[in-house]
Amino acid sequence: MSTQLSDKLVIAISSRALFNLSDSHRVFEEQGLEAFAAYQMEHENDVLEKGDAFPLVQKFLQINQRLEQSRVEVILLSRNSADTGLRVFNSIEHYGLDITRAAFCNGESPWRYIAPFGCHLFLSSDGSDVRRALERGVAAATLVAGSSREREDDILRFAFDGDAVIFSDEAEQIFKRDGLAAFAAAERASAQQPLGGGPFKGFLEALQQLQAEFAAESCPIRTALVTARSAPAHERVIRTLRAWNIRIDESVFLGGLPKGEFLRAFGADVFFDDQPAHCASAAEHVATGHVPHGVANEPVS
């Protein structure tokens, strides 16, 4: 009997994002593949510590319980072999995570299985895998090591930067090339013209469809736009989301202020941003995913 995932919101996650595999990864880097395999099998019954993305995954899977049907799916993608990856599945079972599908690639990159699984989002600790996923139109982010605090409530909170994440980087290109004044003038002149879509537009649309299955007052998912933009550059953002028929629960226009404290106030389970410096700052407060897309991530000539 075949099973389809087309009616689900699917997140793919690497084993190093889900669990803390720093010890075994250190063995691999210092002693090689054979020592790594021996270490994993020797410790396969030792429960792994939670990784940066664990709280996010846990809340995400709880949505199925609320809806009393399977509407979300987490796929595990791993460079382990199935043999050395047994410890990962033992830990999944220990924590009671409803993760049943996986691809173990024995040292090869697992990104090529993202499309067959129909994934809407890919989270990994490997930047090269993330870039390959983005190149193929999948929302993807590299998790930045930092602060990952488990929240007391069960509301799943996604926070997004705007330019080069939800939106294209067309406005950011002007800012990088010509400066803030030119950016502000261009955005004022183009206020009625919607921005192009960025790599996370599709994921945000899928997330909103899932939100629509709940009454507004009881929805366990909240979204926030946390952007360095300020007035008058806010208008084009608002009109773009209106043209896309996408609703964001909270919008914070910071005018260049550091984002970390605002993300902590929102209680973000994860924040996505294209700028490495912003990610490093945000990671001091919340789990953060770097989206290596757009002009901010182009090599400096």
Side-chain angles (χ1 to χ4, degrees):
M1 181 183 296
S2 64
T3 301
Q4 298 296 323
L5 300 180
S6 57
D7 61 340
K8 297 184 180 183
L9 198 164
V10 182
I11 291 180
I13 188 164
S14 70
S15 53
R16 285 176 58 200
L18 183 59
F19 294 117
N20 183 347
L21 288 164
S22 56
D23 287 347
S24 57
H25 188 65
R26 189 180 307 113
V27 170
F28 172 75
E29 290 185 323
E30 295 176 356
Q31 302 179 42
L33 183 59
E34 288 187 11
F36 167 81
Y39 180 91
Q40 286 294 75
M41 287 186 279
E42 180 182 350
H43 294 274
E44 66 184 26
N45 292 317
D46 296 343
V47 176
L48 291 162
E49 295 181 1
K50 300 174 182 178
D52 289 332
F54 186 97
L56 166 71
V57 168
Q58 191 172 45
K59 288 185 178 183
F60 185 70
L61 290 171
Q62 287 172 354
I63 292 172
N64 288 332
Q65 300 172 19
R66 285 175 171 263
L67 288 172
E68 298 183 347
Q69 58 177 309
S70 183
R71 286 285 290 108
V72 302
E73 179 100 13
V74 175
I75 307 291
L76 181 72
L77 299 182
S78 176
R79 289 175 181 261
N80 282 300
S81 66
D83 195 26
T84 60
L86 185 58
R87 185 185 184 191
V88 176
F89 257 123
N90 287 343
S91 297
I92 286 172
E93 183 178 3
H94 169 83
Y95 289 113
L97 298 177
D98 185 19
I99 299 175
T100 61
R101 292 183 170 90
F104 292 100
C105 297
N106 195 24
E108 294 295 317
S109 170
W111 67 267
R112 61 189 184 276
Y113 291 111
I114 293 172
F117 276 125
C119 299
H120 297 90
L121 174 66
F122 174 50
L123 300 177
S124 177
S125 298
D126 191 295
S128 62
D129 287 352
V130 166
R131 287 184 178 88
R132 286 173 170 174
L134 286 167
E135 288 169 359
R136 285 154 181 82
V138 178
T142 311
L143 288 178
V144 180
S147 174
S148 179
R149 301 180 178 89
E150 291 193 49
R151 308 296 169 180
E152 294 180 358
D153 62 31
D154 57 358
I155 304 299
L156 179 56
R157 294 179 171 89
F158 288 96
F160 306 88
D161 181 36
D163 296 291
V165 178
I166 296 177
F167 313 115
S168 73
D169 71 336
E170 60 196 80
E172 194 164 309
Q173 289 182 37
I174 295 174
F175 172 74
K176 290 287 186 182
R177 184 181 65 244
D178 301 325
L180 181 59
F183 164 82
E187 289 302 281
R188 189 182 295 110
S190 303
Q192 302 291 327
Q193 179 182 343
L195 287 154
F200 274 69
K201 179 189 176 186
F203 173 67
L204 188 57
E205 289 173 330
L207 199 61
Q208 180 167 285
Q209 290 176 8
L210 188 60
Q211 286 179 293
E213 299 189 27
F214 295 90
E217 65 275 7
S218 61
C219 183
I221 305 168
R222 286 191 69 80
T223 55
L225 170 69
V226 183
T227 173
R229 286 176 179 248
S230 60
H234 70 296
E235 182 177 353
R236 192 178 185 191
V237 165
I238 294 170
R239 293 190 180 280
T240 297
L241 292 171
R242 186 182 296 173
W244 292 351
N245 196 29
I246 288 180
R247 175 184 59 82
I248 297 282
D249 293 305
E250 302 186 27
S251 299
V252 186
F253 297 93
L254 292 174
L257 290 174
K259 299 179 180 181
E261 291 290 347
F262 296 91
L263 292 164
R264 184 166 65 176
F266 173 64
D269 289 291
V270 65
F271 169 60
F272 299 108
D273 198 299
D274 66 304
Q275 309 237 12
H278 292 174
C279 290
S281 174
E284 297 177 7
H285 302 272
V286 299
T288 302
H290 172 229
V291 182
H293 174 76
V295 65
N297 293 281
E298 293 178 356
V300 178
S301 58

